[in-house]
Amino acid sequence: QRLLPSQGIGVFVYDKRGTGASGGVYTQDFWLLADDAVAALKEVRRLAGPRAGRIGFQGPSQGGWVAPIAASKSDVDFVIVSFGLAVSVIDEDQEAIAFEMGLKGHGPEVIAKGLEIGRAAETLFETGFTEGFEAFDDVRSRYRNEPWYGDVRGNFTHFILPMSAEEIRKAATAFRFGTPWRYDPLPTLERLKTPQLWVLGGQDFDAPSGETARRLEGLIARGRPITLALYPNAEHGLTEFETAADGSRVSTRYVAGYYRLMRDFARGDRLNPPYGDARISSPRR
């Protein structure tokens, strides 16, 4: 919200409901959040008046699900998704487990066991913690002493992995956000005629880009108005990082070219690579 205005692009920023200075109850209901974005768009047009030119949505992370839905409910000139996903929330967790374990040197057999733990945890989340406790405890007891067990994380599995069944039951209400766990964004993306820019990081643990990039490439090949920019060495947030001895990451800087890329796309300018080391795929014209 600071860098883009310095380049002549106005930005309207608001806290999601139930967070920061916003009222209401926090939710991960993508359709409700999309309605909020559409309401924000109306307020932008009211405030900007005749000064407004091209207007679009920029959705980071979870916004990758929300912004395209919002665009399908409104009239905007563009959508920019930063480090978002074109897979379901459940698939995100599975892919995150497999990706991080693979980077830590585990082979397919071990990764398969990690995914088994993830599926048991995901069942608990998906059912609102009403089913799956016995299966979750069983899979944890079988693998708890394995040397790789501590490398099983995922996007949300790791929240409950160290907790007892009783602790999970007590904390259950804190994890019920109305999340549409199986929402498949592909039908929305296939129908959407609004030009989209997706900017992904190749080293993203939280929102792994592998399957999302593959799906977007498929949509681009079918002529959908999508541009994909993949920064191979960036993590979630599109930052470069250094890895400490214990495996933790320290972010060092935003990847080169990221803000210039967003600026050019938002303005409707013809993209003029290079944008750092981004690998760009665009629809044929």
Side-chain angles (χ1 to χ4, degrees), residues 29-280:
D29 181 325
F30 299 156
W31 294 271
L32 188 56
L33 294 172
D35 287 343
D36 290 346
V38 172
L41 173 70
K42 292 178 181 177
E43 180 66 1
V44 166
R45 288 196 163 117
R46 185 190 72 80
L47 291 171
R51 293 177 299 160
R54 288 168 52 83
I55 298 180
F57 294 117
Q58 193 263 343
S61 195
Q62 186 188 89
W65 291 300
V66 175
I69 298 174
S72 73
K73 295 181 167 203
S74 58
D75 179 21
V76 289
D77 298 297
F78 63 88
V79 172
I80 298 174
V81 173
S82 302
F83 44 99
L85 289 155
V87 300
S88 74
V89 182
I90 293 291
D91 289 338
E92 173 192 19
D93 194 61
Q94 285 278 295
E95 192 174 357
I97 290 171
F99 181 61
E100 187 167 357
M101 292 186 76
L103 286 181
K104 291 183 176 179
H106 301 298
E109 199 171 301
V110 168
I111 292 174
K113 295 174 182 176
L115 293 174
E116 187 182 350
I117 296 171
R119 282 191 293 273
E122 291 148 15
T123 296
L124 286 172
F125 279 94
E126 189 175 6
T127 63
F129 300 92
T130 60
E131 300 175 22
F133 282 97
E134 187 175 324
F136 185 55
D137 283 340
D138 176 67
V139 73
R140 286 194 297 178
S141 65
R142 280 190 283 123
Y143 296 133
R144 192 186 303 275
N145 296 321
E146 296 287 344
W148 48 263
Y149 184 82
D151 292 335
V152 178
R153 285 188 53 79
N155 184 257
F156 52 85
T157 285
H158 69 278
F159 289 139
I160 62 172
L161 209 49
M163 301 169 67
S164 68
E166 185 58 30
E167 288 171 332
I168 295 171
R169 285 188 174 92
K170 288 180 179 178
T173 54
F175 293 122
R176 294 186 185 125
F177 303 132
T179 310
W181 301 101
R182 298 283 177 178
Y183 168 65
D184 181 1
L186 269 185
T188 298
L189 299 179
E190 287 171 341
R191 291 192 302 267
L192 194 61
K193 296 179 180 179
T194 308
Q196 303 166 59
L197 169 66
W198 285 68
V199 193
L200 308 179
Q203 299 297 314
D204 193 332
F205 282 167
D206 296 308
S209 59
E211 179 61 15
T212 290
R214 189 191 70 78
R215 289 182 167 204
L216 294 174
E217 291 279 10
L219 292 172
I220 292 169
R222 296 200 294 277
R224 306 316 298 153
I226 295 171
T227 297
L228 168 62
L230 177 63
Y231 285 90
N233 300 309
E235 65 172 345
H236 203 63
L238 290 168
T239 57
E240 296 174 355
F241 59 90
E242 295 176 354
T243 304
D246 63 357
S248 62
R249 292 174 168 183
V250 178
S251 296
T252 56
R253 53 164 284 167
Y254 290 102
V255 289
Y258 170 43
Y259 282 94
R260 186 168 65 87
L261 172 62
M262 287 198 294
R263 178 201 67 189
D264 290 352
F265 192 84
R267 285 178 174 173
D269 296 343
R270 183 181 182 87
L271 295 186
N272 184 28
Y275 295 95
D277 64 352
R279 301 169 185 167
I280 297 179

